C-alpha cells in the first residue's frame, strides 16, 4: 500500500495551522508535510505531531525573501551566508520534529546570469548542504519546479535534478534523493509514466495534484489512478504527498483516496463519528 502524506500548508485550510495535524490523522493520514513551518515554533509543531501520532515526512528549507519573490538560495551568487543560515534553521526544525527529509529549493535566478557561475554556486552550496545534513542523518531532496509557475527557477526538469544527484553522489554524498511533484512535471515536460519508470531508483518522494488548477488528483488531465497503480506495481516505498488545493472541505474531498484503497479512517475516529 502506498503511503500518503497530507500537505497541511494547502489541505485543511479551514482550520488553524497546528490543528491540521490532528485533522489529517482523523482523515486517515499517517504523515503530514509542510512547505514552510517557520512562522511556528518547532517545539509547537512537534507537540502537535506527538499528540496526534503523525510523522512529518518533509519540510522545505527557508526560501529567502519569499514576499520578494525568492524561492531558495542555492543558485544565488553572493548569498552563500544566507543559504547556510537557512540550512541551520531547517536542520533545527527537522531534528526537533524528527523529520528525515529536507527539500532544498535552488532558487529563481536573474536572466543573463553566467551559466558557469550559477553551476559553481549550486555545486558549492548543495555539497555543503548534503554534508551538513549527513551529520544529522537527514536526506537532501532536490525537486524540479515548472517554469509555468516559476519562470525564473533554476531547476526545472527531472533530468537536470538527476544530473545534480549524480554529481553529489560521485562526491560521496549518499543522503541525496529526488522529490518529484507530478503536477510540476506534467506542466514542464509530461511523459509522466516513462519518467517515473526511468528515475524511480533515484526518487524517494512524490507529490500529486490535478492539472490544471492544482486541485484533487481526480480533476484534470492526469490519470493518477494509473500512475499510482504503477508505483504500487514497482513497490515504491517513499511518501506520496497530497499537495493540492481542495475544491471544497478537505476531508470530503478525500473520497478519491478512500475509493482507491489508499486511505482509511482510523478505527478510533470511526467509533467517535
Amino acid at each position: 500500500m502506498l503511503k500518503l502524506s497530507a500537505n497541511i500548508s494547502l489541505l485543511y485550510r479551514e482550520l488553524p495551522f497546528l490543528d491540521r495535524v490532528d485533522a489529517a490523522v482523523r482523515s486517515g493520514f499517517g504523515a503530514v508535510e509542510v512547505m514552510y513551518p517557520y512562522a511556528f515554533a518547532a517545539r509547537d509543531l512537534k507537540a502537535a505531531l506527538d499528540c496526534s501520532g503523525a510523522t512529518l515526512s518533509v519540510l522545505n528549507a527557508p526560501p529567502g525573501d519569499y514576499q520578494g519573490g525568492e524561492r531558495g538560495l542555492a543558485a544565488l551568487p553572493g548569498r552563500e551566508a544566507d543559504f547556510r543560515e537557512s540550512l541551520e534553521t531547517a536542520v533545527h526544525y527537522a531534528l526537533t520534529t524528527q523529520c528525515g527529509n529536507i527539500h532544498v529549493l535552488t532558487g529563481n535566478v536573474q536572466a543573463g546570469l553566467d551559466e558557469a557561475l550559477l553551476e559553481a554556486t549550486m555545486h558549492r552550496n548543495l555539497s555543503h548542504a548534503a554534508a551538513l545534513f549527513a551529520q544529522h542523518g537527514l536526506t537532501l531532496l532536490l525537486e524540479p519546479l515548472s517554469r509555468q509557475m516559476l519562470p525564473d527557477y533554476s531547476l526545472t526538469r527531472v533530468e537536470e535534478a538527476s544530473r545534480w544527484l549524480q554529481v553529489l553522489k560521485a562526491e560521496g554524498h549518499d543522503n541525496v534523493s529526488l522529490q518529484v511533484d507530478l503536477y510540476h512535471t506534467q506542466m514542464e515536460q509530461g511523459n509522466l509514466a516513462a519518467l517515473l519508470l526511468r528515475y524511480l531508483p533515484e526518487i524517494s518522494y512524490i507529490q500529486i495534484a490535478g492539472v490544471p488548477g492544482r486541485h484533487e488528483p481526480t480533476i484534470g488531465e492526469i490519470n493518477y489512478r494509473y500512475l499510482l497503480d504503477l508505483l504500487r506495481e514497482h513497490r515504491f516505498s517513499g511518501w506520496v504527498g497530497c499537495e493540492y488545493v481542495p475544491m471544497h472541505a478537505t476531508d470530503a474531498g478525500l473520497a478519491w483516496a478512500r475509493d482507491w484503497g489508499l486511505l482509511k479512517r482510523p478505527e478510533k475516529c470511526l467509533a467517535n463519528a
Side-chain angles (χ1 to χ4, degrees), residues 3-47:
K3 303 184 302 182
L4 296 189
S5 181
N7 186 300
I8 58 170
S9 298
L10 298 180
L11 302 179
Y12 305 100
R13 290 192 295 179
E14 61 271 21
L15 298 173
F17 180 75
L18 292 176
D19 291 347
R20 300 174 194 178
V21 179
D22 184 65
V25 172
R26 288 178 173 273
S27 291
F29 288 100
V32 298
E33 59 179 45
V34 182
M35 290 179 175
Y36 306 109
Y38 307 107
F40 302 87
R43 64 179 180 275
D44 292 339
L45 179 55
K46 176 63 161 58

Side-chain angles (χ1 to χ4, degrees), residues 226-243:
Y226 171 78
L227 292 176
L228 294 177
D229 282 346
L230 191 67
L231 292 176
R232 282 196 282 203
E233 178 185 343
H234 289 269
R235 299 184 180 181
F236 178 70
S237 60
W239 291 102
V240 177
C242 298
E243 190 184 41

Side-chain angles (χ1 to χ4, degrees), residues 35-36 63-72 105 150:
M35 290 179 175
Y36 306 109
D65 181 6
Y66 189 93
Q67 297 302 320
E70 290 186 336
R71 296 296 185 271
L105 292 93
L150 296 172

Side-chain angles (χ1 to χ4, degrees), residues 19-189:
D19 291 347
R20 300 174 194 178
V21 179
D22 184 65
V25 172
R26 288 178 173 273
S27 291
F29 288 100
V32 298
E33 59 179 45
V34 182
M35 290 179 175
Y36 306 109
Y38 307 107
F40 302 87
R43 64 179 180 275
D44 292 339
L45 179 55
K46 176 63 161 58
L49 293 165
D50 287 348
C51 186
S52 66
T55 296
L56 183 59
S57 54
V58 70
L59 56 83
N60 291 340
D65 181 6
Y66 189 93
Q67 297 302 320
E70 290 186 336
R71 296 296 185 271
L73 304 170
L76 277 57
R79 299 292 299 280
E80 287 83 358
D82 293 334
F83 177 71
R84 294 189 176 205
E85 183 178 348
S86 78
L87 296 181
E88 295 291 347
T89 300
V91 167
H92 166 66
Y93 273 75
L95 294 180
T96 301
T97 60
Q98 297 180 297
C99 175
N101 297 309
I102 300 176
H103 167 217
V104 174
L105 292 93
T106 54
N108 293 328
V109 294
Q110 295 181 345
L113 179 67
D114 180 75
E115 287 291 332
L117 178 59
L118 186 154
E119 182 91 359
T121 302
M122 277 188 63
H123 190 179
R124 183 167 56 249
N125 282 335
L126 293 177
S127 293
H128 173 79
L132 174 65
F133 291 179
Q135 294 174 21
H136 301 285
L138 303 171
T139 297
L140 187 162
L141 298 181
L142 291 176
E143 177 189 355
L145 301 178
S146 167
R147 284 173 290 191
Q148 289 197 37
M149 290 193 67
L150 296 172
D152 301 318
Y153 199 65
S154 51
L155 188 64
T156 60
R157 295 180 66 87
V158 177
E159 297 90 339
E160 295 173 7
S162 175
R163 180 178 68 84
W164 278 110
L165 200 71
Q166 299 313 312
V167 168
L168 294 170
K169 285 184 174 293
E171 296 176 346
H173 301 299
D174 295 325
N175 61 322
V176 293
S177 189
L178 296 187
Q179 176 171 301
V180 174
D181 186 329
L182 297 178
Y183 169 76
H184 282 281
T185 306
Q186 172 68 4
M187 291 194 297
E188 181 64 28
Q189 58 191 116

Side-chain angles (χ1 to χ4, degrees), residues 205-250:
Y205 209 105
I206 289 172
Q207 292 172 319
I208 60 175
V211 176
R214 204 175 192 175
H215 299 304
E216 282 83 353
T218 50
I219 300 172
E221 64 194 30
I222 302 176
N223 185 349
Y224 272 114
R225 186 150 198 177
Y226 171 78
L227 292 176
L228 294 177
D229 282 346
L230 191 67
L231 292 176
R232 282 196 282 203
E233 178 185 343
H234 289 269
R235 299 184 180 181
F236 178 70
S237 60
W239 291 102
V240 177
C242 298
E243 190 184 41
Y244 62 81
V245 179
M247 289 287 287
H248 303 291
T250 299

